[in-house]
Amino acid sequence: VEVVESGGGLVQTGGSLRLSCAASGTIFSIHAMAWYRQAAGKERELVGGANYDGQIYHADPVKGRFTISRDAAKNAVYLQMDRLQPEDTAVYFCAALALKMTMSSPGADYWGKGTLVFVSS
């Protein structure tokens, strides 16, 4: 399974960005796709994700600002980020999971290379 994300960049505080991610390959083995982020000097954290049964999760720090959506036909997942803050600066990773996810999921099975989001103050 190959996971490729795109859409990062530089944005000012309060601005918006939309990240895209597509999975290809042995996609029948995938049951969820998720977004993670890792800021400099910090551990990677789960931003949220979408199970293939339609259930979507968002982490508390991004609820009300970030929206995850999924396009089943394209095997794609999106992360719409609004009202961005400097603390959202991080490398954002898309990942695919072989099992359904929850916000307690320990990790993912397939990872993208990441895309940098930098929010200037």
Side-chain angles (χ1 to χ4, degrees), residues 97-114:
L97 292 83
L99 299 173
K100 288 180 61 175
M101 69 160 289
T102 69
M103 290 306 297
S104 300
S105 293
D109 300 284
Y110 309 98
W111 293 87
K113 294 181 179 180

Side-chain angles (χ1 to χ4, degrees), residues 38-104:
Q38 186 167 21
K42 296 186 177 181
E43 293 187 353
R44 184 179 60 203
E45 63 174 347
L46 177 60
V47 177
N51 284 317
Y52 276 21
D53 63 4
Q55 197 165 20
I56 294 178
Y57 298 92
H58 298 85
D60 287 343
V62 306
K63 281 182 179 177
R65 299 188 300 120
F66 291 11
T67 303
I68 291 171
S69 61
R70 177 177 166 253
D71 185 332
K74 296 181 179 180
N75 297 306
V77 65
Y78 306 97
L79 178 62
Q80 176 66 41
M81 303 183 291
D82 299 316
R83 292 185 283 146
L84 282 159
Q85 302 297 315
E87 53 266 34
D88 296 315
T89 293
V91 177
Y92 284 71
F93 297 90
C94 181
L97 292 83
L99 299 173
K100 288 180 61 175
M101 69 160 289
T102 69
M103 290 306 297
S104 300

